[in-house]
Amino acid sequence: MMAAPPAPLINFPKDHRYWATHPTITLIDQCSNVQQLKQIHARMLRLGLFFDPFSASKLLHSAALSHSPSLHYARDLFDQIPHPNLYSWNTLIRAYAASPYVTRSISMFVRLLHESVERPSKFTYPFVIKASAKLSDLRLGKAVQGMVIKEGLSSDLFVNNCLIHFYMECGCLDMALQVFWSMPKRDVVSWNSMINGLAQNEYPDEAVNFFRRMEEAGVIPNDVTMVGVLSACGKTGDAELGRWLHSYIENNGIGMGLILGNAVLDMYTKCSSMEQARLFFDNMVDKDIISWTTMIAGYARIGDFSAARQLFDSLPRKDIAAWNALISGYEQNGRPKEAIAVFHELQLSKAAKPDEVTLVSALSACSRLGAMELGGWIHVYTRKEVVRLNCYLVTALIDMYSKCGDLQKAREVFQSAEKRDVFVWSSMIAGLGMHGRGRDAVEMFQRMQEANVRPNSVTFTNLLSACSHSGLVEEGREFFHQMESVYKIPPGMEHYAAMVDILGRAGQLDDATEFIQKMPMSPGASVWGALLGACRLYKNVDLAEHAGSHLLNIEPDNHGAYVLLSNIYAESGKWDKVSDLRKRMRDAGLKKEAGCSSIEVEGTVHEFLVGDNTHPMSKKIYLKLEEMTSRLKSAGYVPNKSEVLQLVEEENMQEIALHLHSERLALAFGLLTLPPSQPIRIVKNLRVCQDCHSVVKLVSKLYDREIVLRDRYRFHHFIGGECSCMDFW
Ligand code: ZN
Ligand code: ZN
């Protein structure tokens, strides 16, 4: 939420000359707590002063808006005033708007309209608009704007500044712009609201443009302006602009307080200028925990984990925010294992108490690793420590259980949740979708609407992907159309990609191609990637070439695209094309992700790389692999020779023996260490190859084990020699 523009002063009633000088009334200003106010209140009642509207309103103002206000007492007072004046109404509307009980501000406003002889004024509307902004209630705010126009206040500076802020909070940039340009006069607050609003609504370039326009208009920027432009600059990643802004602040004498200093720091870290950030940080006179955590997160973002750690260790007092910076730094930058290690360290050191942010980060790390035991432990911890399960945590728990392969547990969390917001519903839809339960996901979507929760763009991404994994083509088409026509959510790139995936998986390659041609925007990598994947399933070489070349134009370093394309060529015997592609890959010097599979045993996550022999149990694992191979062979298994000639994502250019793929090492380890009653859950970072897929299928039958394998794209649930993906992935 962005900072609201400062409030106008409340006007005092006109007939206050006599009462204002009464000794009892002058005492009100000297009160520092409610107790003292109550004493004055009693005296005012005795003297009859309380029945003077001005005197009563002065007391009310003090109760509602002083440094230590008591809204409860203020409301009592208000209810005792026989005929509250507009000033009293405004006081209460304003106090509620600033409090957690924002809706009461609106109900007071409605009462004012009905009960008072006075009309709302330019000292009423700003607070009603602020309340609407806090509630993100677009209809309400628009209605209030209508009243503002009727009352002839549409050129009032304060009212308009509040309207800009309101429309920005609701994400209605057009309306904010309309208000801004229709203003007869604009002050620095008007410009600040535009700049901050644009930056927060992810229009950083426009925010910077507005800053330039502001300068041209001769309006002098203040620290709030600069915080907004710096945040926009961080989002563009334009380090040069950032340096210029920094010197602009220094050259124009804009006071560098802590908030602005932290904004400069944040800008440098977001622009990956860590050296400059460090220089600035070391020279900061005032630092707070935000300064430290900004630096820690900045180092983590550029992958300099040792610098992040060093800084963390040098922090004199580590509160939970610092721990969170380190944990989420690891988690969000592809180091989930380290994130969990730090989380354990925090637990052991008892240096600070994990909060909701810590737990969400740790759960998300568990999801990535498939570490369900630890994730489940965090779930238990929330119960033990009576951490209130808010929607963030519920969403994280559903996500963790789904991604670790336990859909049942995910459902239980969903069902027991006290409150379900759009993210809770969306994560449940995603969970069902990734487990191939498309129909259930669609039903969940219907239930969500019965519960009056409005879907958002994430909901539709998850819903469409659920349709895709379950082959629900007609449903997918229908939902895609409804997005804009019914829910007024314009489809984004991810929705187009999901739709291409739906059509492609169903074998409707012509429809998919036509769909792409009709897209209103130029198709992104994800769209071409979806088409390419479908071409591999249906062995359509020509279309694959078309999709592949588009994809590689957009992402020349997309290793997965080369692999897919090369395999399509190999499957159709076009070996000259295969070697062309390989040469291109070599020339491009592509770095690829190493294949890695992880498996959790008794709360410890074990990771295996391709051909890995570093595990302490390595000898036993390889013996187990040999045993597996011979049992499979006697059951009639023949290694897929064509696959050896193909590229697989984790192969290191030369053909590495298939049985050394990381998921097989993890599988052998799982067979050795996990009791037969427990499913073997493996998480792989890349797409599983065909040969490994058929091996795991056979193992599930021969060894009578339930095996859950999550690869980069979906879940494979193996039981009795069958996989839930129906060999389609
Ligand atoms: Zn494999
Ligand atoms: Zn499968």
Side-chain angles (χ1 to χ4, degrees), residues 181-320:
W181 291 122
S182 71
M183 289 167 79
K185 224 185 100 198
R186 300 174 197 101
D187 65 358
V188 63
V189 178
S190 329
W191 287 95
N192 287 354
S193 297
M194 285 308 293
I195 292 169
N196 277 288
L198 286 166
Q200 275 173 32
N201 280 291
E202 306 305 326
Y203 286 92
D205 293 324
E206 280 75 2
V208 174
N209 275 339
F210 253 83
F211 173 65
R212 297 197 198 283
R213 284 186 156 180
M214 174 181 183
E215 275 218 286
E216 283 162 20
V219 181
I220 297 170
N222 60 17
D223 53 341
V224 179
T225 323
M226 296 321 291
V227 169
V229 197
L230 286 166
S231 140
C233 176
K235 286 180 181 174
T236 63
D238 186 344
E240 202 180 318
L241 174 68
R243 276 191 297 276
W244 181 82
L245 287 170
H246 184 185
S247 55
Y248 181 95
I249 294 168
E250 286 174 343
N251 297 337
N252 288 276
I254 299 171
M256 186 73 84
L258 186 56
I259 294 177
L260 187 52
N262 281 341
V264 171
L265 200 58
D266 182 66
M267 176 277 296
Y268 277 132
T269 63
K270 296 246 165 81
C271 293
S272 304
S273 307
M274 283 313 289
E275 273 173 42
Q276 248 143 344
R278 187 56 188 256
L279 198 67
F280 185 78
F281 176 78
D282 288 340
N283 285 316
M284 274 173 94
V285 188
D286 269 349
K287 289 189 192 67
D288 66 358
I289 188 71
I290 296 175
S291 333
W292 284 85
T293 54
T294 304
M295 283 300 290
I296 293 170
Y299 279 128
R301 203 175 302 118
I302 61 163
D304 191 345
F305 294 102
S306 71
R309 181 73 216 206
Q310 244 173 32
L311 200 66
F312 175 79
D313 289 334
S314 69
L315 183 57
R317 265 191 49 233
K318 299 177 185 61
D319 67 7
I320 192 62

Side-chain angles (χ1 to χ4, degrees), residues 342-382:
V342 178
F343 177 69
H344 277 312
E345 192 186 327
L346 165 65
Q347 292 272 293
L348 289 173
S349 74
K350 295 196 168 65
K353 199 171 147 47
D355 64 7
E356 165 201 312
V357 179
T358 329
L359 298 176
V360 168
S361 289
L363 282 170
S364 165
C366 293
S367 304
R368 281 177 201 254
L369 287 168
M372 197 169 81
E373 231 169 287
L374 179 64
W377 181 86
I378 294 175
H379 190 187
V380 173
Y381 174 89
T382 61

Side-chain angles (χ1 to χ4, degrees), residues 7-28:
L9 291 168
I10 282 189
N11 62 332
F12 276 85
K14 292 186 184 71
D15 56 342
H16 67 279
R17 268 151 295 171
Y18 167 69
W19 298 109
T21 53
H22 192 285
T24 306
I25 302 304
T26 52
L27 272 179
I28 292 177

